[in-house]
Amino acid sequence: MTAEVRVTTPAKINLSLGVGPVRPDGYHPLATVYQAVSMYDEVVLRPADRGSTAITVTVSGDGVDVTDVPCHEDNLAARAVRLLGEHVGRELLVSLHLRKRIPVAGGLAGGSSDAAAALLGADALFELHTPRAELAALAAELGSDVPFCLTGGTAMGSGRGEQVTSVMSRGEYWWLVVPDPDGLSTAAVYAELDRLRAGRSARPPEVPDALLAALRAGDIEGLGRALSNDLAPAAVSLRPSLAPLLRAGSECSAHGALVSGSGPTTLFLCESPDHAEQVGEALAAVAGRNGLELAPPVVARGPVHGARVTAVHR
Ligand code: C5P
């Protein structure tokens, strides 16, 4: 019997996020390009203590506020283990520990990534050898971003984001990631988009050809010009302090500035870690002039791998 499995799992960003009109099921059709970046949560799984009848969840934050992360069976990672158990027809009782470095409710898919890690980790802990395609189908049931978090790299997402196909991407990109101390609810940002669009019909979403061409060529300037996010106006409407930051990003030497997913994290495309430091200093100065308090930024590289088992202790 395996005693412990550790899984490392990345944050995701959207290089483009096209959002269509709301569907009858309440979700929005997406055409997006995902990239996994080097900010990682770690999920540690152990068999539950003898006599325990529940999946337990504990959470610790490594530089991030985890107050709002549910420490019970409703946590998406616990739901992932339960769903895998239903799929294989046996109860999988585990204790889960989430060590979080991905900001919570930041538009970086931290919760989805933990769920992807929990699926993979429980499969390894109980030596189930579930085929990858079945794990991906379970991931799609858990949330729109969960299948991508299993895959990682750079990929196109369609449907509600759960249908993932990898795309050709050359080179590596550096991002200055600026978290916001207060998260935003994804559902609230989509609802705000609907409110802002009220009465106007949204066209079916598309991934810009220029973005795919820039990725194929490893062209950072082209990528910077092609970055886009249909959710940005809604995130800025709910969090107006993002506006001066994004403006400053496009005025300083960053190749592009972007709201990450549903926000409120912002992203600035840079050439190197040194360049990211410079951009960080320029943004801090703008934030200071606008009376904004900037959370400490993080420098991340993309693309990186998806959820990955990093240790198995027997
Ligand atoms: O799929 P997930 O559970 O992560 O989505 C969270 C919420 O975000 C959904 O309940 C929905 O309100 C919104 N959403 C959406 N369209 C998508 C993805 C998410 O409206 N394609």
Side-chain angles (χ1 to χ4, degrees):
M1 180 65 191
T2 306
E4 182 184 283
V5 169
R6 289 176 178 258
V7 186
T8 299
T9 196
K12 72 85 213 183
I13 62 175
N14 303 79
L15 305 179
S16 73
L17 179 50
V19 182
V22 64
R23 308 191 311 203
D25 65 359
Y27 283 92
H28 295 71
L30 302 186
T32 188
V33 175
Y34 294 113
Q35 187 173 80
V37 297
S38 63
M39 296 170 76
Y40 302 101
D41 280 358
E42 186 180 49
V43 177
V44 183
L45 302 94
R46 299 196 184 104
D49 294 337
R50 199 180 294 272
S52 166
T53 55
I55 296 170
T56 58
V57 182
T58 54
V59 183
S60 61
D62 195 346
V64 304
D65 180 0
V66 294
T67 328
D68 291 337
V69 180
C71 284
H72 48 73
E73 284 201 297
D74 280 349
N75 188 295
L76 195 60
R79 281 165 45 198
V81 176
R82 224 161 36 239
L83 187 64
L84 180 63
E86 284 162 18
H87 181 70
V88 297
R90 81 183 242 214
E91 201 171 26
L92 306 177
L93 292 176
V94 294
S95 87
L96 288 168
H97 180 70
L98 315 180
R99 191 163 154 229
K100 297 205 59 76
R101 294 198 202 94
I102 304 173
V104 176
L108 293 160
S112 300
S113 204
D114 296 347
L119 269 183
L120 207 62
D123 188 66
L125 189 70
F126 295 99
E127 297 172 32
L128 301 172
H129 307 290
T130 309
R132 197 73 189 186
E134 291 177 25
L135 288 181
L138 298 175
E141 279 188 50
L142 290 162
S144 311
D145 293 336
V146 184
F148 172 71
C149 295
L150 270 181
T151 319
T154 307
M156 208 133 62
S158 58
R160 61 180 225 280
E162 88 287 9
Q163 292 163 30
V164 176
T165 36
S166 69
V167 302
M168 161 82 170
S169 172
R170 196 166 274 137
E172 60 179 14
Y173 300 93
W174 294 90
W175 300 92
L176 184 79
V177 181
V178 181
D180 193 287
D182 298 310
L184 279 176
S185 137
T186 305
V189 176
Y190 275 100
E192 179 66 2
L193 179 71
D194 292 340
R195 193 186 69 78
L196 294 174
R197 280 177 171 175
R200 277 174 294 137
S201 60
R203 274 186 284 153
E206 280 177 25
V207 167
D209 286 339
L211 182 90
L212 297 175
L215 287 172
R216 271 197 305 275
D219 167 11
I220 190 170
E221 286 173 19
L223 178 62
R225 281 192 300 273
L227 297 171
S228 67
N229 182 352
D230 283 356
L231 287 178
V236 172
S237 167
L238 295 177
R239 188 61 51 78
S241 57
L242 298 181
L245 208 54
L246 290 167
R247 254 196 322 272
S250 47
E251 282 158 17
C252 73
S253 64
H255 287 287
L258 191 65
V259 172
S260 183
S262 54
T265 305
T266 43
L267 305 166
F268 302 90
L269 177 57
C270 302
E271 267 156 37
S272 63
D274 284 349
H275 182 211
E277 297 269 322
Q278 286 165 28
V279 170
E281 283 164 22
L283 289 178
V286 173
R289 282 200 296 279
N290 283 277
L292 302 172
E293 207 176 314
L294 207 61
V298 177
V299 178
R301 172 179 52 87
V304 298
H305 61 78
R308 195 148 83 180
V309 173
T310 47
V312 176
H313 299 293
R314 296 193 192 278

